[in-house]
Amino acid sequence: MTAPHAPPPGTAREAIDDETLHALVDGRLSPDAAQALRARLTGDSDGSPAPYRQDWQDWEEQRARLRALHADWEQAPVPPPLAQAAQAWRERRARQARAWRMVGMAASWVFAFGLGWTLQGAAPPPPSPAPLQAIPQRFALQAAAAHAVYQPEQRHPVEVGAAQQEHLVQWLSKRLERPLQVPQLQALGYELVGGRLLPGDAAVAPSAPQASAGARAQFMYQNAAGQRITLYLGALAGAHPAETAFRYEDEGPVPSFYWVEGGFGYALSGPLPREALLALATAVHAQL
């Protein structure tokens, strides 16, 4: 035999208290519970104490006066600056959601497609090349995604710490098949935390050697407040040869400034205002 259900708020079998009255006045009770409680408060069938009736009436009156005090606000149009800010926030969230979906779908497709061919004992066919104009933008979104993954790490934000900077540079230079150097950003308040090796995207560097097409480097920096930025770099042989100017990308999880020089892509990412991120990217570009 099952136990009976507890009575809903406001029924005759439940004690009346301040919390229940507040729920009634604020409209947080179900229609049936609210009707049952009002019947108790306005009738004498169950001997409801008079103070509860008085409190309920006082609070209802107070609520009505407060709503009447600014009743015109409900009909007034939203101030233009507030409406514009809300629209800009919604659009940014929508762009970020699209960027995350794109990165996630690409990763899932590569994993599932490659696994299927591996199980069949055959190598997967090479992916179709991306449009030239889309290659640097995708590179920037990958940089932002890598930043979002490793930036929150407290114990293992990098593979090789700044104390082993010489080893870090030699290792990553060998893996990317290109002499690298670590930009110094102390003048702008950022110290090197270290770096790591990351997988690349052969589709964006189809003519590059296998090692450089399949590897990326990430250098992480941190300021005194604990805020982190990351420099992401790797081969982009498939990019448009004229793509050298700075570009700003804010559709990823964090904004990035990115550029391409000599078939190599660079992206500086971090949760900073555009002007501050541009100053850091300019300093990095001048040193590289």
Side-chain angles (χ1 to χ4, degrees):
M1 182 176 180
T2 58
H5 293 291
T11 60
R13 289 178 291 172
E14 183 181 86
I16 300 177
D17 54 22
D18 287 350
E19 179 62 28
T20 305
L21 288 182
H22 279 297
L24 174 64
V25 174
D26 295 339
R28 291 185 284 114
L29 295 182
S30 67
D32 290 344
Q35 182 179 1
L37 183 53
R38 289 193 184 95
R40 290 184 59 188
L41 292 169
T42 56
D44 297 322
S45 58
D46 65 345
S48 297
Y52 287 116
R53 285 197 300 273
Q54 189 61 50
D55 288 343
W56 168 55
Q57 293 170 354
D58 291 344
W59 293 346
E60 289 278 14
E61 183 179 355
Q62 183 185 54
R63 180 180 176 84
R65 288 180 177 179
L66 288 173
R67 292 181 66 85
L69 185 63
H70 298 293
D72 55 324
W73 287 13
E74 295 184 355
Q75 305 300 326
V78 177
L82 184 59
Q84 293 170 4
Q87 181 63 23
W89 179 83
R90 286 193 294 268
E91 291 175 354
R92 179 175 177 80
R93 290 296 298 271
R95 289 197 303 269
Q96 290 179 342
R98 287 196 300 271
W100 274 112
R101 284 197 299 271
M102 183 176 70
V103 172
M105 289 173 63
S108 301
W109 182 86
V110 169
F111 176 78
F113 193 60
L115 179 61
W117 277 87
T118 301
L119 293 176
Q120 295 179 34
S128 301
L132 293 181
Q133 67 273 18
I135 291 174
Q137 183 184 28
R138 184 166 70 181
F139 176 85
L141 291 174
Q142 291 169 338
H147 175 94
V149 169
Y150 294 108
Q151 181 276 142
E153 289 287 336
Q154 296 302 315
R155 297 187 62 183
H156 305 289
V158 296
E159 287 183 274
V160 180
Q164 297 178 284
Q165 181 173 328
E166 183 177 353
H167 165 64
L168 173 66
V169 174
Q170 291 176 351
W171 172 49
L172 293 178
S173 296
K174 180 179 180 180
R175 293 304 304 270
L176 271 66
E177 298 186 347
R178 184 186 183 103
L180 303 179
Q181 59 178 316
V182 179
Q184 303 301 312
L185 301 177
Q186 293 94 330
L188 294 174
Y190 283 85
E191 297 282 347
L192 179 69
V193 177
R196 67 169 59 245
L197 181 70
L198 294 172
D201 183 355
V204 301
S207 61
Q210 183 177 359
S212 60
R216 299 280 168 77
Q218 183 192 65
F219 295 116
M220 182 178 292
Y221 298 83
Q222 181 172 298
N223 65 10
Q227 191 169 53
R228 291 171 172 175
I229 59 173
T230 53
L231 174 63
Y232 183 84
L233 57 158
L236 279 181
H240 195 285
E243 179 70 39
T244 58
F246 276 14
R247 298 290 179 89
Y248 183 69
E249 176 60 63
D250 64 349
E251 292 191 4
V254 293
S256 302
F257 268 102
Y258 65 98
W259 64 98
V260 179
E261 286 190 7
F264 225 63
Y266 304 86
L268 189 73
S269 307
L272 301 177
R274 179 168 180 158
E275 295 76 12
L277 194 61
L278 176 60
L280 288 162
T282 303
V284 169
H285 179 269
Q287 296 180 53
L288 296 176

